[in-house]
Amino acid sequence: MTHYSPAKLEWRDGQPYASTFQDVYFSSDNGLLETDYVFLQGNALQSRWQTLNTPHFTIAETGFGTGLNFLSAIKLWLEVAPATAMLHYISTEKHPLSLQDLTSALALWPTLAEFSDHLLENYEKLLQGNQALDLFQNRVCLSLLVGDATTQLRQIHGAVDAWFLDGFSPAKNPDMWQTELFQQIVRLSAVGSTFATFTSAGHVRRNLAAAGFNTQKRAGFGKKREMLQGILMSKADAR
Ligand SMILES: C[S@@+](CC[C@H](N)C(=O)[O-])C[C@H]1O[C@@H](n2cnc3c(N)ncnc32)[C@H](O)[C@@H]1O
């Protein structure tokens, strides 16, 4: 049994809001479009998956939250990736939502309902331990690692193809955006791995650049001025 402190969540104008962090789970402009813009487009997933020539692809995420990024990614994956390939989605979450809050949050996205149902059915089992969940005839495998992102990433091996760096803004959640997080990211990346994040905080960009990522600023979604995305050019500085 995994022990964790659950999310403290409020509902503001029908949208989930994290009381502890004083931050939103996703843009109040449109969370679904934000996910597509920041994380899916920021990692060029559609074109990479249409031309995928490996049997699997791995995404890792900091901050599973409501699962919106996960569900949007698997929808795109099932639409465009080769039917024989498997998506491994690894996500970390320090303060999981209750099943009730998750159900309310996912009800906001009717276009994801056929995918959300699978997550909701298995959610409480997923929270009990770090077990993987196979979905859609093994085309998707979800590993939900309950705990702090850096602590959880420290314990895994393998190569991540695309990073979804979520997890509330660095100003509101400085504990997560520490130097070791970036060290774990580069340890688990290969040349060609990409990242995307809604934040354009200077220290996030500098840490990713120091780790070997070629970072690029792009217009942010909604009210956000800028976001960051990038690709790992070399692992020379990796520890
Ligand atoms: C903006 S929300 C993520 C939204 C999410 N990606 C989605 O699709 O709904 C940020 C999430 O990061 C989680 N979080 C905060 N600090 C964390 C940490 N140190 N390690 C892992 N997760 C963390 C929060 O509990 C929250 O669920």
Side-chain angles (χ1 to χ4, degrees), residues 7 21 24-26 35 61-70 92-97 147-150 166-168 173 175-176:
F21 295 92
V24 292
Y25 277 80
F26 40 74
T35 287
E61 175 181 52
T62 56
F64 185 72
T66 67
L68 175 58
N69 289 345
F70 167 65
T92 59
E93 177 52 63
K94 192 171 179 185
H95 304 293
L97 268 69
D148 168 64
T150 304
D166 211 338
F168 297 135
N173 189 15
D175 285 354
M176 193 193 85

mmCIF file of all heavy atoms in Angstrom, residues 7 21 24-26 35 61-70 92-97 147-150 166-168 173 175-176, ligand 1:
data_model
loop_
_atom_site.group_PDB
_atom_site.id
_atom_site.type_symbol
_atom_site.label_atom_id
_atom_site.label_comp_id
_atom_site.label_asym_id
_atom_site.label_seq_id
_atom_site.Cartn_x
_atom_site.Cartn_y
_atom_site.Cartn_z
ATOM 1 N N ALA A 7 -4.488 15.197 -2.796
ATOM 2 C CA ALA A 7 -4.641 16.577 -3.279
ATOM 3 C C ALA A 7 -5.682 17.310 -2.450
ATOM 4 O O ALA A 7 -6.732 16.746 -2.126
ATOM 5 C CB ALA A 7 -5.082 16.546 -4.745
ATOM 6 N N PHE A 21 -1.188 24.664 -3.381
ATOM 7 C CA PHE A 21 -0.213 25.322 -4.260
ATOM 8 C C PHE A 21 -0.720 26.659 -4.804
ATOM 9 O O PHE A 21 0.030 27.373 -5.472
ATOM 10 C CB PHE A 21 0.148 24.398 -5.434
ATOM 11 C CG PHE A 21 0.868 23.148 -5.005
ATOM 12 C CD1 PHE A 21 0.176 21.982 -4.726
ATOM 13 C CD2 PHE A 21 2.250 23.147 -4.857
ATOM 14 C CE1 PHE A 21 0.839 20.826 -4.313
ATOM 15 C CE2 PHE A 21 2.929 22.006 -4.455
ATOM 16 C CZ PHE A 21 2.213 20.842 -4.180
ATOM 17 N N VAL A 24 -3.664 26.434 -10.683
ATOM 18 C CA VAL A 24 -4.669 25.695 -11.449
ATOM 19 C C VAL A 24 -4.086 24.372 -11.970
ATOM 20 O O VAL A 24 -2.876 24.248 -12.144
ATOM 21 C CB VAL A 24 -5.167 26.525 -12.657
ATOM 22 C CG1 VAL A 24 -5.974 27.728 -12.198
ATOM 23 C CG2 VAL A 24 -3.990 26.978 -13.539
ATOM 24 N N TYR A 25 -4.972 23.406 -12.205
ATOM 25 C CA TYR A 25 -4.514 22.142 -12.803
ATOM 26 C C TYR A 25 -4.276 22.311 -14.300
ATOM 27 O O TYR A 25 -3.422 21.635 -14.881
ATOM 28 C CB TYR A 25 -5.523 21.016 -12.536
ATOM 29 C CG TYR A 25 -5.306 20.419 -11.168
ATOM 30 C CD1 TYR A 25 -5.800 21.041 -10.021
ATOM 31 C CD2 TYR A 25 -4.541 19.272 -10.998
ATOM 32 C CE1 TYR A 25 -5.553 20.521 -8.752
ATOM 33 C CE2 TYR A 25 -4.297 18.748 -9.745
ATOM 34 C CZ TYR A 25 -4.800 19.374 -8.629
ATOM 35 O OH TYR A 25 -4.539 18.863 -7.377
ATOM 36 N N PHE A 26 -5.063 23.164 -14.904
ATOM 37 C CA PHE A 26 -4.859 23.465 -16.326
ATOM 38 C C PHE A 26 -5.466 24.824 -16.621
ATOM 39 O O PHE A 26 -6.195 25.387 -15.788
ATOM 40 C CB PHE A 26 -5.454 22.373 -17.240
ATOM 41 C CG PHE A 26 -6.775 21.832 -16.771
ATOM 42 C CD1 PHE A 26 -7.941 22.569 -16.891
ATOM 43 C CD2 PHE A 26 -6.844 20.579 -16.172
ATOM 44 C CE1 PHE A 26 -9.146 22.070 -16.461
ATOM 45 C CE2 PHE A 26 -8.068 20.072 -15.715
ATOM 46 C CZ PHE A 26 -9.210 20.816 -15.862
ATOM 47 N N THR A 35 -3.247 21.372 -23.409
ATOM 48 C CA THR A 35 -2.479 20.116 -23.453
ATOM 49 C C THR A 35 -1.986 19.837 -24.869
ATOM 50 O O THR A 35 -0.828 19.486 -25.086
ATOM 51 C CB THR A 35 -3.367 18.951 -22.965
ATOM 52 O OG1 THR A 35 -3.521 19.086 -21.561
ATOM 53 C CG2 THR A 35 -2.739 17.611 -23.252
ATOM 54 N N GLU A 61 6.153 12.045 -17.308
ATOM 55 C CA GLU A 61 5.478 13.278 -16.898
ATOM 56 C C GLU A 61 5.739 13.561 -15.424
ATOM 57 O O GLU A 61 5.777 12.640 -14.604
ATOM 58 C CB GLU A 61 3.969 13.107 -17.118
ATOM 59 C CG GLU A 61 3.125 14.273 -16.621
ATOM 60 C CD GLU A 61 1.638 14.053 -16.837
ATOM 61 O OE1 GLU A 61 1.130 12.986 -16.413
ATOM 62 O OE2 GLU A 61 0.990 14.907 -17.435
ATOM 63 N N THR A 62 5.891 14.827 -15.104
ATOM 64 C CA THR A 62 5.915 15.231 -13.696
ATOM 65 C C THR A 62 4.542 15.817 -13.372
ATOM 66 O O THR A 62 4.169 16.855 -13.908
ATOM 67 C CB THR A 62 7.019 16.280 -13.442
ATOM 68 O OG1 THR A 62 6.827 17.392 -14.326
ATOM 69 C CG2 THR A 62 8.407 15.722 -13.677
ATOM 70 N N GLY A 63 3.781 15.131 -12.518
ATOM 71 C CA GLY A 63 2.477 15.666 -12.105
ATOM 72 C C GLY A 63 1.322 15.134 -12.935
ATOM 73 O O GLY A 63 0.871 15.778 -13.880
ATOM 74 N N PHE A 64 0.801 13.947 -12.570
ATOM 75 C CA PHE A 64 -0.289 13.305 -13.320
ATOM 76 C C PHE A 64 -1.586 14.096 -13.215
ATOM 77 O O PHE A 64 -2.356 14.174 -14.174
ATOM 78 C CB PHE A 64 -0.504 11.878 -12.782
ATOM 79 C CG PHE A 64 -1.498 11.077 -13.539
ATOM 80 C CD1 PHE A 64 -1.204 10.594 -14.804
ATOM 81 C CD2 PHE A 64 -2.753 10.777 -12.992
ATOM 82 C CE1 PHE A 64 -2.131 9.831 -15.525
ATOM 83 C CE2 PHE A 64 -3.675 10.019 -13.704
ATOM 84 C CZ PHE A 64 -3.365 9.544 -14.964
ATOM 85 N N GLY A 65 -1.830 14.666 -12.033
ATOM 86 C CA GLY A 65 -3.008 15.524 -11.836
ATOM 87 C C GLY A 65 -4.300 14.842 -12.210
ATOM 88 O O GLY A 65 -4.643 13.777 -11.700
ATOM 89 N N THR A 66 -5.028 15.453 -13.139
ATOM 90 C CA THR A 66 -6.332 14.923 -13.548
ATOM 91 C C THR A 66 -6.213 13.894 -14.677
ATOM 92 O O THR A 66 -7.231 13.399 -15.160
ATOM 93 C CB THR A 66 -7.234 16.060 -14.062
ATOM 94 O OG1 THR A 66 -6.664 16.564 -15.287
ATOM 95 C CG2 THR A 66 -7.340 17.205 -13.054
ATOM 96 N N GLY A 67 -4.997 13.646 -15.146
ATOM 97 C CA GLY A 67 -4.825 12.680 -16.233
ATOM 98 C C GLY A 67 -5.144 13.263 -17.603
ATOM 99 O O GLY A 67 -5.170 12.533 -18.603
ATOM 100 N N LEU A 68 -5.380 14.561 -17.672
ATOM 101 C CA LEU A 68 -5.744 15.156 -18.965
ATOM 102 C C LEU A 68 -4.627 14.973 -20.008
ATOM 103 O O LEU A 68 -4.896 14.620 -21.162
ATOM 104 C CB LEU A 68 -6.054 16.652 -18.764
ATOM 105 C CG LEU A 68 -6.330 17.467 -20.022
ATOM 106 C CD1 LEU A 68 -7.505 16.904 -20.821
ATOM 107 C CD2 LEU A 68 -6.608 18.938 -19.654
ATOM 108 N N ASN A 69 -3.392 15.185 -19.600
ATOM 109 C CA ASN A 69 -2.283 15.004 -20.555
ATOM 110 C C ASN A 69 -2.206 13.543 -21.018
ATOM 111 O O ASN A 69 -2.004 13.256 -22.200
ATOM 112 C CB ASN A 69 -0.941 15.383 -19.916
ATOM 113 C CG ASN A 69 -0.805 16.875 -19.701
ATOM 114 O OD1 ASN A 69 -1.552 17.662 -20.244
ATOM 115 N ND2 ASN A 69 0.158 17.266 -18.876
ATOM 116 N N PHE A 70 -2.356 12.631 -20.056
ATOM 117 C CA PHE A 70 -2.296 11.206 -20.385
ATOM 118 C C PHE A 70 -3.381 10.838 -21.395
ATOM 119 O O PHE A 70 -3.109 10.222 -22.434
ATOM 120 C CB PHE A 70 -2.450 10.381 -19.093
ATOM 121 C CG PHE A 70 -2.716 8.924 -19.324
ATOM 122 C CD1 PHE A 70 -1.766 8.117 -19.932
ATOM 123 C CD2 PHE A 70 -3.926 8.348 -18.944
ATOM 124 C CE1 PHE A 70 -2.014 6.762 -20.165
ATOM 125 C CE2 PHE A 70 -4.175 6.999 -19.169
ATOM 126 C CZ PHE A 70 -3.223 6.207 -19.778
ATOM 127 N N THR A 92 4.452 10.671 -12.617
ATOM 128 C CA THR A 92 4.679 10.749 -11.181
ATOM 129 C C THR A 92 3.611 11.664 -10.581
ATOM 130 O O THR A 92 3.176 12.619 -11.226
ATOM 131 C CB THR A 92 6.069 11.348 -10.883
ATOM 132 O OG1 THR A 92 6.129 12.653 -11.458
ATOM 133 C CG2 THR A 92 7.181 10.494 -11.483
ATOM 134 N N GLU A 93 3.197 11.363 -9.382
ATOM 135 C CA GLU A 93 2.191 12.232 -8.736
ATOM 136 C C GLU A 93 2.361 12.169 -7.226
ATOM 137 O O GLU A 93 2.239 11.113 -6.614
ATOM 138 C CB GLU A 93 0.773 11.791 -9.134
ATOM 139 C CG GLU A 93 -0.336 12.580 -8.462
ATOM 140 C CD GLU A 93 -0.176 14.100 -8.608
ATOM 141 O OE1 GLU A 93 -0.212 14.594 -9.735
ATOM 142 O OE2 GLU A 93 -0.012 14.791 -7.559
ATOM 143 N N LYS A 94 2.644 13.317 -6.637
ATOM 144 C CA LYS A 94 2.864 13.372 -5.179
ATOM 145 C C LYS A 94 1.555 13.458 -4.390
ATOM 146 O O LYS A 94 1.465 12.952 -3.281
ATOM 147 C CB LYS A 94 3.741 14.596 -4.861
ATOM 148 C CG LYS A 94 4.269 14.607 -3.440
ATOM 149 C CD LYS A 94 5.286 15.711 -3.268
ATOM 150 C CE LYS A 94 5.802 15.755 -1.845
ATOM 151 N NZ LYS A 94 6.702 16.910 -1.655
ATOM 152 N N HIS A 95 0.554 14.114 -4.969
ATOM 153 C CA HIS A 95 -0.715 14.303 -4.250
ATOM 154 C C HIS A 95 -1.886 13.900 -5.152
ATOM 155 O O HIS A 95 -2.543 14.769 -5.774
ATOM 156 C CB HIS A 95 -0.884 15.776 -3.847
ATOM 157 C CG HIS A 95 0.255 16.310 -3.041
ATOM 158 N ND1 HIS A 95 0.539 15.864 -1.764
ATOM 159 C CD2 HIS A 95 1.207 17.235 -3.334
ATOM 160 C CE1 HIS A 95 1.605 16.500 -1.304
ATOM 161 N NE2 HIS A 95 2.034 17.336 -2.235
ATOM 162 N N PRO A 96 -2.154 12.596 -5.246
ATOM 163 C CA PRO A 96 -3.221 12.155 -6.163
ATOM 164 C C PRO A 96 -4.589 12.726 -5.802
ATOM 165 O O PRO A 96 -4.913 12.917 -4.629
ATOM 166 C CB PRO A 96 -3.214 10.629 -5.991
ATOM 167 C CG PRO A 96 -1.880 10.286 -5.443
ATOM 168 C CD PRO A 96 -1.469 11.460 -4.592
ATOM 169 N N LEU A 97 -5.378 12.967 -6.831
ATOM 170 C CA LEU A 97 -6.771 13.371 -6.639
ATOM 171 C C LEU A 97 -7.553 12.171 -6.109
ATOM 172 O O LEU A 97 -7.194 11.023 -6.394
ATOM 173 C CB LEU A 97 -7.395 13.772 -7.982
ATOM 174 C CG LEU A 97 -7.326 15.235 -8.398
ATOM 175 C CD1 LEU A 97 -5.888 15.619 -8.706
ATOM 176 C CD2 LEU A 97 -8.182 15.486 -9.648
ATOM 177 N N GLY A 147 4.334 9.587 -5.608
ATOM 178 C CA GLY A 147 5.412 10.147 -4.784
ATOM 179 C C GLY A 147 6.032 11.344 -5.487
ATOM 180 O O GLY A 147 5.593 11.740 -6.576
ATOM 181 N N ASP A 148 7.050 11.887 -4.854
ATOM 182 C CA ASP A 148 7.743 13.041 -5.425
ATOM 183 C C ASP A 148 8.421 12.663 -6.754
ATOM 184 O O ASP A 148 9.016 11.584 -6.878
ATOM 185 C CB ASP A 148 8.792 13.518 -4.420
ATOM 186 C CG ASP A 148 9.745 14.504 -5.048
ATOM 187 O OD1 ASP A 148 9.299 15.590 -5.454
ATOM 188 O OD2 ASP A 148 10.947 14.168 -5.165
ATOM 189 N N ALA A 149 8.355 13.559 -7.727
ATOM 190 C CA ALA A 149 8.860 13.265 -9.068
ATOM 191 C C ALA A 149 10.327 12.830 -9.052
ATOM 192 O O ALA A 149 10.679 11.788 -9.618
ATOM 193 C CB ALA A 149 8.678 14.501 -9.957
ATOM 194 N N THR A 150 11.188 13.599 -8.395
ATOM 195 C CA THR A 150 12.617 13.280 -8.413
ATOM 196 C C THR A 150 12.878 11.938 -7.737
ATOM 197 O O THR A 150 13.621 11.100 -8.259
ATOM 198 C CB THR A 150 13.420 14.400 -7.715
ATOM 199 O OG1 THR A 150 13.118 15.631 -8.372
ATOM 200 C CG2 THR A 150 14.908 14.137 -7.776
ATOM 201 N N ASP A 166 5.223 19.077 -16.235
ATOM 202 C CA ASP A 166 4.077 19.774 -15.647
ATOM 203 C C ASP A 166 4.383 19.904 -14.154
ATOM 204 O O ASP A 166 5.537 19.769 -13.755
ATOM 205 C CB ASP A 166 2.813 18.936 -15.927
ATOM 206 C CG ASP A 166 1.575 19.789 -16.083
ATOM 207 O OD1 ASP A 166 1.583 20.918 -15.584
ATOM 208 O OD2 ASP A 166 0.599 19.333 -16.692
ATOM 209 N N GLY A 167 3.403 20.150 -13.322
ATOM 210 C CA GLY A 167 3.706 20.134 -11.884
ATOM 211 C C GLY A 167 3.625 21.482 -11.215
ATOM 212 O O GLY A 167 4.398 21.768 -10.302
ATOM 213 N N PHE A 168 2.714 22.313 -11.609
ATOM 214 C CA PHE A 168 2.519 23.659 -11.056
ATOM 215 C C PHE A 168 3.746 24.524 -11.354
ATOM 216 O O PHE A 168 4.833 24.029 -11.628
ATOM 217 C CB PHE A 168 2.205 23.639 -9.562
ATOM 218 C CG PHE A 168 0.922 22.929 -9.234
ATOM 219 C CD1 PHE A 168 0.856 22.021 -8.186
ATOM 220 C CD2 PHE A 168 -0.232 23.165 -9.965
ATOM 221 C CE1 PHE A 168 -0.324 21.360 -7.891
ATOM 222 C CE2 PHE A 168 -1.415 22.498 -9.676
ATOM 223 C CZ PHE A 168 -1.449 21.601 -8.636
ATOM 224 N N ASN A 173 5.711 25.993 -6.751
ATOM 225 C CA ASN A 173 6.114 24.638 -6.340
ATOM 226 C C ASN A 173 7.630 24.478 -6.485
ATOM 227 O O ASN A 173 8.101 23.589 -7.191
ATOM 228 C CB ASN A 173 5.366 23.606 -7.204
ATOM 229 C CG ASN A 173 5.551 22.192 -6.693
ATOM 230 O OD1 ASN A 173 6.003 21.991 -5.553
ATOM 231 N ND2 ASN A 173 5.226 21.222 -7.527
ATOM 232 N N ASP A 175 9.804 23.224 -4.615
ATOM 233 C CA ASP A 175 10.349 21.937 -4.130
ATOM 234 C C ASP A 175 10.511 20.925 -5.260
ATOM 235 O O ASP A 175 11.395 20.081 -5.212
ATOM 236 C CB ASP A 175 9.412 21.324 -3.074
ATOM 237 C CG ASP A 175 9.536 22.042 -1.746
ATOM 238 O OD1 ASP A 175 10.420 22.912 -1.624
ATOM 239 O OD2 ASP A 175 8.728 21.738 -0.847
ATOM 240 N N MET A 176 9.616 20.989 -6.235
ATOM 241 C CA MET A 176 9.716 19.985 -7.309
ATOM 242 C C MET A 176 10.790 20.330 -8.333
ATOM 243 O O MET A 176 11.471 19.447 -8.838
ATOM 244 C CB MET A 176 8.372 19.821 -8.027
ATOM 245 C CG MET A 176 8.351 18.574 -8.916
ATOM 246 S SD MET A 176 6.974 18.520 -10.065
ATOM 247 C CE MET A 176 7.637 19.498 -11.417
HETATM 248 C C1 LIG B 1 -0.744 21.381 -13.007
HETATM 249 S S1 LIG B 1 -1.079 19.874 -12.221
HETATM 250 C C2 LIG B 1 -0.812 18.685 -13.481
HETATM 251 C C3 LIG B 1 -1.910 18.573 -14.455
HETATM 252 C C4 LIG B 1 -1.863 17.256 -15.165
HETATM 253 N N1 LIG B 1 -0.695 17.033 -15.938
HETATM 254 C C5 LIG B 1 -3.117 16.975 -15.910
HETATM 255 O O1 LIG B 1 -3.040 16.485 -17.052
HETATM 256 O O2 LIG B 1 -4.164 17.168 -15.312
HETATM 257 C C6 LIG B 1 0.400 19.597 -11.290
HETATM 258 C C7 LIG B 1 0.432 18.247 -10.582
HETATM 259 O O3 LIG B 1 1.761 18.061 -10.048
HETATM 260 C C8 LIG B 1 1.639 17.406 -8.815
HETATM 261 N N2 LIG B 1 2.862 17.622 -8.046
HETATM 262 C C9 LIG B 1 3.195 18.700 -7.306
HETATM 263 N N3 LIG B 1 4.429 18.554 -6.770
HETATM 264 C C10 LIG B 1 4.882 17.344 -7.180
HETATM 265 C C11 LIG B 1 6.078 16.624 -6.966
HETATM 266 N N4 LIG B 1 7.069 17.116 -6.209
HETATM 267 N N5 LIG B 1 6.209 15.429 -7.543
HETATM 268 C C12 LIG B 1 5.204 14.901 -8.306
HETATM 269 N N6 LIG B 1 4.042 15.542 -8.547
HETATM 270 C C13 LIG B 1 3.872 16.739 -8.000
HETATM 271 C C14 LIG B 1 0.410 18.045 -8.210
HETATM 272 O O4 LIG B 1 -0.113 17.281 -7.144
HETATM 273 C C15 LIG B 1 -0.510 18.142 -9.420
HETATM 274 O O5 LIG B 1 -1.314 17.016 -9.547
#
